[in-house]
Amino acid sequence: MLKGDDITGGTADVFKCFDQVLRKLLYTVLELGGFPKRILNAYAAYMSKLLIYNMVGGSLGKGHVHPCGIPQGCPLSMMFIAFLLRPWIILMRKIKAVPRILADDILVFAQGEGHEKNFKDAFDITHSFMKDIGAELAPAKSTTFSTNRKTRQRLREHNWERIGQKIKVVVHARDLGSHLTTAATMCAPTLTNRMMEAAQLINRIARTNLSPTMRAHVIRMAGIAKGLYGVECSAENGQALQKLRVAIANAIAPKSSLRSLDLTFATANLGRDLDPIIILMVRRTTMLRRMLAKHEHLRTMVQQTWELYRVKGHQGTFCEPKVMAGKSPMPGFGKGNRNKWKCATEPRGPIGLL
């Protein structure tokens, strides 16, 4: 999006993905792929004798065996699904589409020239592939998206041949733990809801008889973990973030209309920093460092992205000492006019947010 390329994509939801897996097909594919025969035999024997019990009204039903499916909580299951979808990944790359999978979450998109046609071809092939391996698609839970307004309009009217119906077009949507946005301005209602729920949780923690040290510990373990999940690549809402800060400050320090939140967090953290603003920055920095350490081939792309932001005058990309010496800190939320400190360009992803 920073380069001006349009992106069109979609997510395919597989109804009861793990429960629908055809075991004989999976075992055959694993054996052809070189999976250790002894482990495969043991796994197949275990699955064939696994008894499933349904609980209704607090009572257990009669044990029965499912003819298909693999356990959803098993760590092997995620790898098995990924291996089962390996041919689909190869197909997508052949037609210049970009595939992404994690467990039963399937996403494919096309970028640049011919993005709309490439995506439509890729999505049709995806639907056919899923039916060929015995999967039942859930069109009502599937979505499509595009950064191009005209393409979005055509997608709304498009009837997908393999499933015989239209698929909802979204501008932004939750994806895994984060929130994807294809509009000009990033938004993340998923993250906003998490922050609001975390603030309510911390307000309940504040009313307990726990010691201040134990409250701070519980807030780190429950409140912060819940409220800032996915913040590395999602745009935070200022009001929700401020409510979260106030809730934490009320839980670790006395309330006062004259209280400074910055001073409260500087003096009453009772351990590692509890200020969501600081944690937010640390998480985004850590994620970028970790990504570059694990995927060195992305270093050039990150540098190019940074340079695009710098050329457009994005905040935080000019770090010369003389320039920085003339800067003043942005006032806290509700403490004055913050428009002067707004970015010249809208962030498009984790690097822009950082």
Side-chain angles (χ1 to χ4, degrees):
M1 290 175 73
L2 280 168
K3 295 178 181 178
D5 287 346
D6 281 317
I7 297 174
T8 300
T11 61
D13 189 273
V14 181
F15 179 73
K16 300 288 184 181
C17 178
F18 289 98
D19 297 332
Q20 285 196 82
V21 173
L22 299 175
R23 291 179 197 154
K24 286 187 178 180
L25 174 63
L26 175 63
Y27 300 157
T28 302
V29 172
L30 288 172
E31 190 173 354
L32 290 171
F35 194 81
K37 194 69 181 287
R38 289 186 300 173
I39 299 176
L40 182 57
N41 289 339
Y43 182 85
Y46 164 74
M47 291 304 302
S48 66
K49 294 179 175 62
L50 181 65
L51 288 177
I52 308 296
Y53 295 85
N54 291 329
M55 179 177 283
V56 180
S59 300
L60 281 176
K62 187 177 179 180
H64 59 283
V65 177
H66 282 182
C68 58
I70 55 179
Q72 189 164 347
C74 175
L76 286 173
S77 295
M78 285 184 66
M79 291 185 283
F80 287 166
I81 293 291
F83 193 75
L84 199 57
L85 294 177
R86 171 68 179 164
W88 171 78
I89 293 172
I90 296 171
L91 283 171
M92 294 298 102
R93 288 174 177 168
K94 277 187 177 180
I95 61 173
K96 298 181 180 179
V98 182
R100 291 288 183 268
I101 58 169
L102 180 62
D104 58 342
D105 290 293
I106 300 168
L107 181 145
V108 61
F109 66 88
Q111 180 176 352
E113 187 178 352
H115 61 96
E116 184 178 340
K117 182 184 182 303
N118 289 342
F119 165 68
K120 285 180 177 178
D121 292 343
F123 218 39
D124 278 334
I125 292 173
T126 300
H127 294 154
S128 296
F129 180 87
M130 294 303 166
K131 287 190 175 183
D132 288 344
I133 63 172
E136 182 183 346
L137 293 167
K141 292 185 178 179
S142 300
T143 60
T144 58
F145 58 84
S146 179
T147 57
N148 186 290
R149 183 175 56 82
K150 291 182 179 179
T151 299
R152 286 199 297 267
Q153 186 58 42
R154 286 191 288 268
L155 286 175
R156 289 187 182 99
E157 303 300 324
H158 185 72
N159 201 67
W160 296 95
E161 183 181 345
R162 304 296 192 276
I163 58 175
Q165 64 184 87
K166 297 179 175 66
I167 291 179
K168 179 174 62 175
V169 178
V170 297
V171 178
H172 62 86
R174 178 180 174 179
D175 180 61
L176 302 180
S178 183
H179 202 92
L180 291 180
T181 306
T182 59
T185 304
M186 289 187 74
C187 66
T190 302
L191 178 61
T192 301
N193 292 337
R194 285 181 184 143
M195 286 184 176
M196 301 299 281
E197 290 171 5
Q200 293 174 5
L201 173 63
I202 293 168
N203 287 334
R204 292 198 295 272
I205 294 172
R207 293 192 290 270
T208 63
N209 292 326
L210 298 174
S211 67
T213 302
M214 184 54 69
R215 280 184 195 168
H217 177 69
V218 174
I219 288 169
R220 288 189 187 93
M221 297 295 293
I224 295 295
K226 180 182 181 68
L228 297 184
Y229 183 75
V231 76
E232 293 86 351
C233 48
S234 300
E236 74 282 2
N237 177 277
Q239 289 182 327
L241 183 64
Q242 185 67 5
K243 283 189 176 182
L244 184 60
R245 295 186 79 209
V246 171
I248 296 173
N250 290 341
I252 62 174
K255 297 180 183 180
S256 171
S257 59
L258 301 177
R259 179 184 62 191
S260 164
L261 286 179
D262 294 331
L263 188 58
T264 300
F265 285 118
T267 57
N269 276 312
L270 302 169
R272 287 179 288 111
D273 211 310
L274 279 170
D275 189 349
I277 291 179
I278 302 300
I279 298 170
L280 180 150
M281 183 188 71
V282 170
R283 285 193 177 187
R284 287 176 177 169
T285 306
T286 305
M287 182 59 70
L288 180 61
R289 287 167 57 89
R290 186 176 298 162
M291 182 182 70
L292 289 176
K294 287 187 175 182
H295 308 284
E296 290 190 8
H297 64 282
L298 295 177
R299 189 177 297 273
T300 301
M301 185 192 74
V302 170
Q303 290 174 340
Q304 290 173 348
T305 304
W306 184 276
E307 184 62 22
L308 283 168
Y309 277 119
R310 192 192 67 78
V311 169
K312 293 183 178 183
H314 196 68
Q315 297 281 43
T317 55
F318 297 93
C319 302
E320 295 180 8
K322 290 182 179 179
V323 176
M324 296 301 291
K327 300 285 186 182
S328 57
M330 181 170 67
F333 194 81
K335 301 293 184 181
N337 189 350
R338 295 155 58 94
N339 291 331
K340 177 182 170 183
W341 284 265
K342 281 188 176 180
C343 291
T345 58
E346 288 285 345
R348 300 292 188 184
I351 297 173
L353 289 170
L354 173 62

